[in-house]
Amino acid sequence: MIAFEKGYAVCIDGKSRGVFETLPQKYSDLPVIDFGDRLIIPGLVDLHIHAPQYAFRGTGMDLELMDWLNQQAFPEEAKYADLTYAKKAYSIFAEQMKKSATTRVCMFGTQHRPATELLMELMEETGLVSFVGKVNMDREAPDNLREESAEASVQATIAWIESVSQKFQRTKPILTPRFIPSCTDELMQKLREIQMTYELPVQSHLSENQGEIAFVRELRPRNKFYGDAYEEHDLFGRNKENHKEVKTIMAHCVWSEEEEVELMRQNGVFVAHCPASNMNLSSGIAPIRSYLDKGLRVGLGSDVAGGHCESIFRAITDTVQVSKMYWRLVDSSASPITFPEAFYLATKGGGAFFGKVGSFEEGYDFDAIVLEDAVLPYPQELSVLQRLERAVYLSLDLNGIYAKFVEGRQLF
Amino acid sequence: MIAFEKGYAVCIDGKSRGVFETLPQKYSDLPVIDFGDRLIIPGLVDLHIHAPQYAFRGTGMDLELMDWLNQQAFPEEAKYADLTYAKKAYSIFAEQMKKSATTRVCMFGTQHRPATELLMELMEETGLVSFVGKVNMDREAPDNLREESAEASVQATIAWIESVSQKFQRTKPILTPRFIPSCTDELMQKLREIQMTYELPVQSHLSENQGEIAFVRELRPRNKFYGDAYEEHDLFGRNKENHKEVKTIMAHCVWSEEEEVELMRQNGVFVAHCPASNMNLSSGIAPIRSYLDKGLRVGLGSDVAGGHCESIFRAITDTVQVSKMYWRLVDSSASPITFPEAFYLATKGGGAFFGKVGSFEEGYDFDAIVLEDAVLPYPQELSVLQRLERAVYLSLDLNGIYAKFVEGRQLF
C-alpha cells in the first residue's frame, strides 16, 4: 500500500496517469483541484448488492437465510411489480449509492422488467458505473414473485436486454439467475443461449449456507457440486463450447468444496465476499485466505440487505474481523486478512471485474473518493495510512464523502 | 421489548415514572418536551473503555493482543505523564463521549494521578455518570509506564482516592489493577486493603486471550484459574472476610473455564462483553449465551481501542453477529443472541452496575437518548421497533444524537 502526503493524482480523459509527490512538468498545464489535507483514495467496488432489499436493511436481522428470504426479502421484492413503489424505493437507493464511497457496483434488481429498467435509469443518473440484473426465478418462490414459466422468464429477459443494452453509457445488463434452487434446468439452459447471443456477464449466489447446498444436491443430483450446476450451463466463468470467457460473479462461496474452488480458479470466476451478510444470516465465514493463496479472483460485496449497510468501508473491516475469527476458531493455518489486503479486495480486487479499475496506477480508470477526516479529531501525529485505516474503521463514509469521481467525472 | 408510538416518557426528580401511551392525569401539570416522531430510548451503558487509547482508535488493527499492547497501547499511555498532552487528548475524548449515545461509563485512565484527575474533571463536565480508574501496574510494562514499586502505586492510589472521592457529583473512582500480569502479589494484597477501607468498586481484565491466560498460570501457579488470582485478594465480587459485596467488572471473559464462570456467578461479578475488541485482537468469541443461561451479570463494553469505536450501537450489533458465528462455528447448542437481548445487555444489563439504570420502568434513573432517524430514508411502513433495529444496525449514533438526558438532566 502506497500513500503520498500532499501528492498529486493525475487524470486525463478519464484515465489515471499515476500519483506523484511532485507534479511532473508535462502535466503542469492541467487544471488542478486542491483538496487540501483531505484523503484521496480509489473508488470502492461493490460486487454484490440487492437494490430492492435496500428498503428493509437493518431490520429482521434475527432471521436465518431461508426464513429471512420468505419473511423479508420475497415480500418486499414482490412490491416492485408496482412501478410507483419501485420509483419511490429505487430513488432512495440510487441517491444513497451516489452519496456512498462506491463507484462501481453489480446489483440484483427483481424479476420485474419495468422496475429493473427504471432502476437502470436511476443508476445511470447517479454517474456510477453499474451492472444491473433483472432476476430470473421460475420455481421455489412465492406465487407473486415466481415467473410463470421458463419461457416467460426468457422472453422477458430478452426483451429487457434488447431494450437496455444500448440505452445507457454507464449502466449495463448482467444475467442474473437468482440461484440454482429458484431456476429450473430448462430456464438455465435457455439462459446459456442468451448469454452466448448477447455475451453478457453473469452474477448469482453460490454455497452460502449448508441448508441451501443440501437443497441443490437434492434438486440436481447429477451435479458433482453446487457450482457444477452453473458450469453445466456454461454460466460459470467460461463457455465449454466456444471457449469464450463468461465473466461471472458468485456471491458468498462460504462452504465451497475443493473441486468447486478449483473450477472457480480455472474459470476465473469472481468471488464476491460478503462478510456482514455471512454473519447476519449465520452462514459462516468464507475462507478468503485460502482463496487468495490459490489465486482466485476476489472482491467485496455489501450484500444489502443480508448485509445491513451499503458501506464498503464496513465490508473492509468486516473482512479483516471475520478472517481473524476464522483463524482463531476454525483454521489456525489461515492467517488473518490484513487491512491493506482487504482494502485491495475492495478496490483492485473487485475492480478487475470492470477492467482496469480500483487503482491510481497509470492506465486505470480514474475513480476517486475524497474523504474529510478532520471530523475525527485526534491529539497526536498520524501518518496518511493511519488516517485512512482509522477513517475506514470508523465508517467515515456513513458521514458522507467530500467528493467523488467516476471515470474522471466529478459527481459532487 | 416494549415500544409505544407517540408515547410519553415521564421523569420527575431525575427518576423515571414509566412510559405511557396516553399521559396519566396526575402528570398533566408537568412540562412537556415534544420530540415529534423521533425515537426515545434508554441511555446506553459502556462497561469497559480505555480513555487514553481513544487517540489511536482504528489504527494498527492488524496486531494481536501482546504486540498491540507493546506497539500501540503502552507508548500512547506513556504520553499521559505529560499533563498538556493529557488535556489535549482527554478533552477530545470527553467531548466525543458527550456526543455519543452512552450515558454511563466505566473507564480506565492511566497510572498517572494528575492525568486521571483531569480526566475525571472533564468527564464530570460532560454530564455523564462515570467510574474512572487510575491504573495500577508495577510489573511487566515498559519502564516509562511501570510504577516504581507496589508501595509507590499504593501511595499514589490512596492520594488519588482521597483527592477525588468527594470532589465530583457524577464521577467516582474505581480500583483498577490493569490485569494480573501487570500487578505483583504485594500490590494486589494492598489493593485489597484499599478496597476494604474505601469500599470502592473494581474493574479489570479476565481471560481475554489464551497467551495471557498461560502467562497468568506461569506467574501464579498457586491459583486454580485466572479469576482465582483476583478472588485470592478479594477483588472478585465479594470479600471473603467481611462478606461484603465488592462490585466488580471483568472485561472479556472469552476463555473462562467452568470454575471461573461459577465463581463469577456466585460472586455477582459483571462480565463486560467487548465483541469488537475480541474480533480485532483475534481473542475469540465469549460464550455469552451460556453466561446468560447460567445467570451471570453481563453488560457491553466498547473497549476502545481494542474496540475501534465508542459506539455502543455497534457493540449491540457486534454482540448479535459474533454470537451467530459462535453458534455456527463453535457450539450449535448456543443459540444466537437476539437483537432485543443485545439491546438489553447494552442498557439494563450493564446498567445494573450503576443501580436502577437502563430502563424507563418506574423508579429507574432517567437516562435517555433521542434519535433523529429521519436521516435514514425508507419507502415503506416501519414499526417503531423496526426503526430502532435499523438505527442501531446503521450506527446512527455515529451521525450524532438529537438529545441526551442523564438522571433527568438534558445535556443537549
Side-chain angles (χ1 to χ4, degrees), chain A residues 303-330:
Chain A
D303 193 25
V304 166
H308 50 274
C309 177
E310 71 275 19
S311 163
I312 298 295
F313 277 13
R314 182 66 196 266
I316 291 171
T317 60
D318 285 340
T319 294
V320 173
Q321 289 186 320
V322 301
S323 77
K324 287 173 174 174
M325 290 300 92
Y326 191 84
W327 172 61
R328 176 63 74 209
L329 300 173
V330 181

Side-chain angles (χ1 to χ4, degrees), chain A residues 130-170:
Chain A
S130 319
F131 284 104
V132 178
K134 175 208 139 2
V135 171
N136 299 102
M137 50 194 306
D138 69 339
R139 71 174 173 194
E140 294 295 335
D143 286 348
N144 62 352
L145 210 56
R146 199 177 54 235
E147 292 174 288
E148 266 173 42
S149 64
E151 191 49 38
S153 178
V154 163
Q155 289 312 321
T157 302
I158 291 172
W160 164 66
I161 296 167
E162 295 280 350
S163 165
V164 299
S165 278
Q166 306 303 324
K167 195 170 174 183
F168 307 111
Q169 239 190 309
R170 294 174 288 273

Side-chain angles (χ1 to χ4, degrees), chain B residues 72-89:
Chain B
Q72 294 265 113
F74 288 156
E76 178 67 20
E77 290 190 21
K79 295 184 194 168
Y80 291 77
D82 171 6
L83 208 54
T84 310
Y85 183 79
K87 181 156 195 188
K88 191 172 166 190

Side-chain angles (χ1 to χ4, degrees), chain B residues 102-226:
Chain B
T102 301
T103 50
R104 308 268 170 160
V105 53
C106 297
M107 66 182 69
F108 281 50
T110 61
Q111 88 273 31
H112 311 98
R113 190 189 141 194
T116 304
E117 292 200 27
L118 172 69
L119 173 61
M120 295 179 84
E121 282 167 28
L122 292 166
M123 284 308 301
E124 180 76 5
E125 285 168 24
T126 63
L128 271 67
V129 174
S130 320
F131 284 104
V132 178
K134 176 208 137 5
V135 171
N136 300 100
M137 50 194 306
D138 69 338
R139 70 173 174 194
E140 296 296 336
D143 286 347
N144 61 351
L145 208 57
R146 199 176 53 236
E147 292 174 288
E148 266 173 39
S149 64
E151 190 51 37
S153 178
V154 163
Q155 288 314 320
T157 301
I158 291 172
W160 165 66
I161 296 168
E162 295 280 351
S163 164
V164 299
S165 278
Q166 307 303 323
K167 196 169 172 184
F168 306 111
Q169 239 190 308
R170 294 174 289 275
T171 314
K172 300 294 175 189
I174 182 168
L175 267 192
T176 307
R178 188 176 195 115
F179 66 156
I180 294 294
S182 61
C183 298
T184 59
D185 298 5
E186 183 192 352
L187 175 57
M188 290 299 285
Q189 201 48 33
K190 288 186 170 156
L191 290 180
R192 175 182 180 274
E193 290 161 27
I194 293 177
Q195 194 286 320
M196 289 178 74
T197 306
Y198 296 98
E199 300 198 331
L200 293 192
V202 175
Q203 62 181 354
S204 195
H205 297 94
L206 182 66
S207 299
E208 178 177 6
N209 172 294
Q210 289 173 322
E212 170 210 16
I213 294 170
F215 190 32
V216 170
R217 202 173 292 129
E218 195 181 300
L219 287 166
R220 305 194 42 146
R222 70 179 180 280
N223 292 116
K224 282 178 288 179
F225 45 88
Y226 189 162

Side-chain angles (χ1 to χ4, degrees), chain A residues 62, chain B residues 1 316 320 337-344 388-389 392-393:
Chain A
D62 289 337
Chain B
M1 218 164 173
I316 292 172
V320 173
I337 306 295
T338 63
F339 175 75
E341 287 176 316
F343 191 79
Y344 173 93
L388 174 61
E389 185 181 1
V392 172
Y393 266 94

Side-chain angles (χ1 to χ4, degrees), chain A residues 210-226:
Chain A
Q210 288 172 322
E212 170 211 15
I213 294 169
F215 191 32
V216 170
R217 203 173 293 128
E218 196 180 299
L219 286 166
R220 306 193 41 145
R222 70 179 178 279
N223 292 115
K224 282 179 289 181
F225 46 86
Y226 191 163

